[in-house]
Amino acid sequence: MSTPEIVRTQHDLRGQVREWRGCDLSVAYVPTMGALHGGHLSLVKLAGQHAHKVVVSIFVNPAQFAPDEDFEAYPRDEAADMARLASTGCDLVYVPRPGSMYKAHHATRIKVGRVADGLETDHRPTFFEGVALVVTKLLNRVMPDYVIFGEKDYQQLAAIRRLVEDLDMPVKVIGAPIARDEHGLALSSRNVHLDEDGLVIARQLNGIMHTCAERIRMGHEVARATAQAKTGLLAAGFSGVDYIRVADPDTLEPVLHGHVQGQPLRLLVAARCKGVRLLDNCAVRGLADAQG
Ligand code: AMP
């Protein structure tokens, strides 16, 4: 395994994928926005377990950033990304030229409903439209057999599953577990913006979230347990909690009140720490599940 090749045009990308297909080789694909860390690399490794060849794309997608968000400030370092991808099993890196993705006359929008309504959309109303659009375009360009998304962005993964199924896209979506640092903080490209104090605060998110999930599993009332967790996050130093919500793991239908009766559920959190918005989530295993 060595440094993967880079392609920057659809022509070169398709040429390489066509050549592999001609040799009966399957392709798994990992879309990223770069600023690669261990979470991305775990997706690349998982991709290699599913297919003969692995493509990674690096593209900071302007369509998923609102005008007041950090598109310009989003960390970018292609050389460092390429170094990280060496010896991971990645065969090809696709770095589309920024101007090639959305031409001046681009007019198509894609809106995933239901699963992509609420939670993130309450705070970033056009985010999933931007994600659905770029993922559709990238899948049409790469045409992989498998595409890998992280559970770290759980609602995004659920929305992509819906998109792929609803539009009959010929690709299998694979979810990858959340990669965390040794203190339990979910790895994220935006963690580089946390100073030392911020890191100390951010690292409490995972524990508070798991305590909340455990309380719900043990039969505590959902609204009470999530309110306690919110109080805990604010006391830990988070400046705000956008949501802490229990939901069905597939449809993301919220469970706002009551006692959980053993059905599988997901706990999803978005909280702000020193200007950095952190996402995390975990399973609230039902009582029946928890026996195993
Ligand atoms: P991004 O570059 O942030 O768009 O992320 C690209 C892919 O990596 C998405 O599918 C993310 O869900 C996934 N990802 C990011 N961080 C992690 C992590 N800590 N663990 C697992 N997957 C991750």
Side-chain angles (χ1 to χ4, degrees), residues 31-34 37 39-40 42-43 74 148-150 152-153 156 177-179 186-187 189:
T32 81
M33 297 210 298
H37 51 66
H40 297 112
S42 71
L43 268 55
Y74 197 83
I148 323 292
F149 284 91
K152 148 88 170 28
D153 302 285
Q156 170 173 279
I178 302 174
L187 300 179
S189 304

Side-chain angles (χ1 to χ4, degrees), residues 18 23 39 50 72 88 100 112 126 146 165 168 195 201 234-235 252 254 272-273 277 279:
R18 201 178 307 118
C23 302
H50 285 272
E72 295 300 338
T88 57
S100 75
V112 181
T126 57
Y146 302 92
E165 194 180 325
D168 308 315
D195 60 16
I201 297 167
L234 296 174
L252 297 189
R272 281 168 278 119
C273 171
R277 193 163 177 275
L279 298 188

Side-chain angles (χ1 to χ4, degrees), residues 106-224:
H106 184 104
T108 301
R109 295 167 70 176
I110 299 177
K111 172 144 177 47
V112 181
R114 297 177 74 162
V115 71
D117 287 335
L119 296 167
E120 282 301 287
T121 324
D122 290 341
H123 302 272
R124 309 179 73 190
T126 57
F127 174 70
F128 285 123
E129 281 197 35
V131 169
L133 185 59
V134 81
V135 169
T136 303
K137 285 174 70 75
L138 287 165
L139 287 174
N140 284 340
R141 290 180 179 199
V142 180
M143 292 195 284
D145 302 285
Y146 302 92
V147 65
I148 323 292
F149 284 91
E151 287 186 348
K152 148 88 170 28
D153 302 285
Y154 193 87
Q155 190 180 14
Q156 170 173 279
L157 170 62
I160 300 292
R161 288 192 195 283
R162 190 76 269 130
L163 172 77
V164 162
E165 194 180 325
D166 288 354
L167 298 188
D168 308 315
M169 294 179 172
V171 65
K172 190 165 174 9
V173 180
I174 293 168
I178 302 174
R180 301 178 179 279
D181 74 5
E182 65 277 23
H183 305 277
L185 175 63
L187 300 179
S188 164
S189 304
R190 291 188 171 99
N191 290 355
V192 296
H193 298 311
L194 291 168
D195 60 16
E196 260 180 49
D197 290 351
L199 269 177
V200 170
I201 297 167
R203 284 178 170 146
Q204 298 182 63
L205 174 58
N206 180 45
I208 293 171
M209 176 181 76
H210 275 97
T211 301
C212 178
E214 177 69 5
R215 285 191 173 134
I216 293 167
R217 187 183 74 73
M218 298 303 287
H220 289 217
E221 203 275 326
V222 167
R224 188 146 180 263

Side-chain angles (χ1 to χ4, degrees), residues 234-258:
L234 296 174
F238 282 84
S239 53
V241 179
D242 285 353
Y243 55 81
I244 175 155
R245 178 79 54 81
V246 176
D248 178 278
D250 301 318
T251 64
L252 297 189
E253 282 296 316
V255 176
L256 298 175
H257 304 283

